[in-house]
Amino acid sequence: MRQAAVVFVHGLFSSPATWTPLQQELCAIPSVADEFDFLFFEYATRPLTWNPLRRMPDLDTVAESLRGFIGDLTGGYERVALVTHSQGGLVAQRFLSRMLLSGRGRELARLRRLVMFACPNNGSDLFLLARRGLIPMTRNSQERELKPLQTSVLETQRRVIDGIVRAPHVSSDRCPIPIVAYAGESDNVVVPSSAAGFFPETGVLPGDHFTIIRPKGPDSRIVHAMRKELARALAEPFPVEPQPEADIPHHRRPAHRTDDVFTELEIAGPITIPTGGTGAHTSEFFLHGGPVEQLRNVDIVVSSENTYLQLSQFFKPSTSGSLRWAAAEKSGSGQILEDVAGDHLAAWLRNHGSYGLPVPEGTVAPTPAGALQRRNVHRIYHAAIASPVSGTNSYRIAPQAIPRAVHNTFDLARRERDELGLPLNSICFPLFGAGRGGMSVSESFELIWEPMMSELSDDPSWSIHFTTRRRTIHDLLHGRLQAKRRAYDEIA
């Protein structure tokens, strides 16, 4: 038995025979044939059936059958790659989604790649037209899920994006698996935008909906693409499941444990703390535990960025990526119609002659809140904190950048409040530098605290908010704020 297996999943009204030409070409490549066994998953899919004792299985049933197929036939393989065509991609995604929902994310760790060809991630307009006129009586539950913006498909994709694509580690409800979506350049059944869907890694190959997976020889681009994807499946590292600790530097801080993460927003506060030496004035502090994109009723949300002010990609689990996604104006299917934060930040950089160049550490640039306005968030401030280390993927945090960014945040907020007439009264800070910058939560909090209290002593009308997704960090911050209040009470 070889160390790896490829599981091929066919599409609607098709069969494993659709893979025969591609299989023959792959078997002629020693680096593929020596490493992989080829397995073919088959499921019932016909336009209609006249047998009253039979029905066409829906995608949930087919996904459960795929789970059994993978569990029964790939148990002896170290690695597994899923390769799908058309509706087969929806079957694979439904399988992954159901595994996460049932707490079986760890069982997915052997899956090191999902490659989808011509998958109708945003539905098929051609099938929608056919449904309206040509095949209204198929009563095929699989075909109905190809309708554009189908709710069940969108829910599955959101779970796959959050629990598979964005997953930082493996646990019961998540497992990082690379997913790539290929479109056919002349496909009129599943257009390229639908094949790409929500997925960040995409490609376009010659052919229509059916010929995209039918090579015309060993030098066909589909053969080269499959060879590349299978090589990546062999090299892809297995996900790990580190044990979390509380307040340690990021480079030694393990990924989140499921029970340590807020899945829904929870708010603690107000915690009232004196902001003047005499104690005559106080300010209110709040803690938000949960996804930053769920924040509401906070006028300004501050995001920690690199000194090039280049935002994280939408699919990244960072605060920057999450805010960028939350601010974007999207269609009903989740397609980005306007990258509000990204576009306005790029315009800000051009207006300041800094596009493509680093800005000074501590610089703070404003952008509109976009779709977050509906949650009563007015502005997003982007603070340049982390300086990329040349030639590496690491960042350096200059300690003075954090106090400078805090002061600049208040300066900008006052200026926008006065000059633009914006109703700005509350600011939500992240823990600057406590991500990839390598600082501990305690270091970051103290570097924020002093300049913030200096600003509040001059103007205590601001309410201050902190946000984190981890319960351990939330509890740590809550304890720090309570300790600060007791210390100021003793001084007063």
Side-chain angles (χ1 to χ4, degrees):
M1 178 182 288
R2 295 168 176 82
Q3 68 161 324
V6 184
V7 175
F8 291 91
V9 185
H10 62 78
L12 184 72
F13 309 154
S14 186
S15 73
T18 194
W19 298 108
T20 299
L22 182 57
Q23 177 194 6
Q24 291 173 344
E25 294 294 347
L26 293 177
C27 286
I29 302 173
S31 61
V32 174
D34 291 346
E35 297 287 353
F36 288 92
D37 282 333
F38 298 143
L39 307 176
F40 299 89
F41 172 70
E42 184 174 13
Y43 59 96
T45 173
R46 293 182 298 278
L48 69 161
T49 177
W50 301 107
N51 189 338
L53 301 180
R54 285 190 167 187
R55 69 175 183 89
M56 283 299 102
D58 58 22
L59 286 193
D60 284 330
T61 302
V62 179
E64 188 63 19
S65 179
L66 177 59
R67 182 194 66 79
F69 181 92
I70 291 175
D72 293 342
L73 298 183
T74 69
Y77 293 98
E78 180 181 351
R79 294 169 178 268
V80 177
L82 271 173
V83 178
T84 70
H85 176 241
S86 190
Q87 179 185 259
L90 300 183
V91 172
Q93 292 177 55
R94 191 67 59 90
F95 154 67
L96 296 175
S97 173
R98 289 171 63 86
M99 290 290 284
L100 299 183
L101 271 177
S102 60
R104 307 176 74 168
R106 295 179 181 87
E107 297 178 32
L108 299 174
R110 290 184 302 120
L111 294 179
R112 292 296 80 214
R113 206 153 194 88
L114 167 58
V115 184
M116 301 184 296
F117 294 104
C119 177
N121 287 303
N122 289 341
S124 170
D125 292 335
L126 189 62
F127 271 97
L128 180 59
L129 293 175
R131 184 184 301 106
R132 289 172 176 169
L134 298 178
I135 49 175
M137 300 185 65
T138 62
R139 297 181 182 179
N140 187 307
S141 59
Q142 300 166 17
E143 181 266 339
R144 286 195 294 270
E145 298 221 35
L146 300 183
K147 176 182 177 182
L149 308 185
Q150 183 72 10
T151 301
S152 58
V153 174
L154 294 176
E155 290 176 350
T156 294
Q157 289 179 348
R158 291 190 183 103
R159 191 171 296 113
V160 168
I161 289 292
D162 289 339
I164 300 291
V165 176
R166 294 180 176 175
H169 62 271
V170 65
S171 67
S172 62
D173 63 350
R174 68 189 67 193
C175 181
I177 301 171
I179 299 178
V180 59
Y182 284 98
E185 63 183 11
S186 55
D187 190 346
N188 197 37
V189 177
V190 177
V191 297
S193 61
S194 179
F198 295 90
F199 296 98
E201 191 174 354
T202 61
V204 177
L205 294 174
D208 59 26
H209 189 68
F210 300 101
T211 60
I212 184 178
I213 60 169
R214 294 177 187 165
K216 296 181 179 180
D219 293 327
S220 299
R221 283 179 58 191
I222 177 63
V223 176
H224 286 286
M226 278 296 302
R227 186 174 184 174
K228 175 186 68 175
E229 299 299 343
L230 294 180
R232 289 178 174 178
L234 289 177
E236 182 69 26
F238 291 104
V240 296
E241 186 177 7
Q243 296 299 313
E245 300 292 339
D247 185 27
I248 59 177
H250 180 269
H251 67 280
R252 292 191 291 109
R253 190 184 310 146
H256 311 338
R257 196 179 63 232
T258 302
D259 59 2
D260 189 43
V261 177
F262 291 97
T263 56
E264 298 293 333
L265 192 67
E266 296 182 18
I267 303 175
I271 300 172
T272 303
I273 298 178
T275 53
T278 62
H281 301 289
T282 60
S283 294
E284 292 184 338
F285 292 76
F286 298 81
L287 283 174
H288 299 259
V292 67
E293 59 268 28
Q294 292 185 10
L295 285 173
R296 64 170 64 248
N297 301 322
V298 178
D299 299 326
I300 301 166
V301 179
V302 185
S303 178
S304 181
E305 312 290 359
N306 57 65
T307 52
Y308 287 83
L309 289 179
Q310 296 297 310
L311 302 184
S312 293
Q313 293 298 318
F314 296 110
F315 54 87
K316 293 289 187 180
S318 63
T319 298
S320 176
S322 297
L323 282 175
R324 184 180 187 182
W325 169 260
E329 295 291 348
K330 298 173 280 290
S331 68
S333 65
Q335 178 186 355
I336 301 298
L337 301 178
E338 182 183 2
D339 179 11
V340 177
D343 292 346
H344 280 82
L345 190 55
W348 185 95
L349 285 166
R350 288 190 175 94
N351 291 337
H352 289 77
S354 299
Y355 195 80
L357 300 173
V359 299
E361 293 168 332
T363 297
V364 177
T367 65
L372 283 171
Q373 286 270 12
R374 303 182 190 104
R375 304 182 68 86
N376 204 26
V377 175
H378 298 295
R379 304 292 278 174
I380 301 175
Y381 285 0
H382 305 270
I385 298 295
S387 298
V389 178
S390 179
T392 73
N393 289 321
S394 301
Y395 292 88
R396 175 186 60 82
I397 302 293
Q400 66 271 18
I402 294 177
R404 191 176 299 152
V406 173
H407 285 300
N408 287 338
T409 294
F410 280 94
D411 285 343
L412 178 60
R414 285 191 294 266
R415 189 164 62 252
E416 290 203 319
R417 184 167 60 181
D418 296 336
E419 296 176 1
L420 303 180
L422 296 175
L424 305 178
N425 298 290
S426 54
I427 305 174
C428 183
F429 285 98
L431 289 169
F432 292 129
R436 292 179 64 187
M439 285 188 174
S440 72
V441 173
S442 298
E443 291 174 306
S444 174
F445 179 81
E446 293 301 329
L447 285 169
I448 294 171
W449 185 259
E450 291 302 325
M452 183 176 62
M453 293 304 291
S454 173
E455 294 286 345
L456 292 175
S457 66
D458 294 331
D459 183 3
S461 64
W462 297 97
S463 66
I464 304 300
H465 302 248
F466 291 96
T467 180
T468 178
R469 292 201 66 168
R470 294 185 59 179
R471 294 182 183 275
T472 48
I473 296 177
H474 177 276
D475 294 344
L476 176 66
L477 289 176
H478 192 269
R480 289 296 175 90
L481 288 173
Q482 294 287 8
K484 294 291 187 183
R485 183 176 65 177
R486 289 193 298 270
Y488 281 101
D489 286 344
E490 292 173 1
I491 294 173

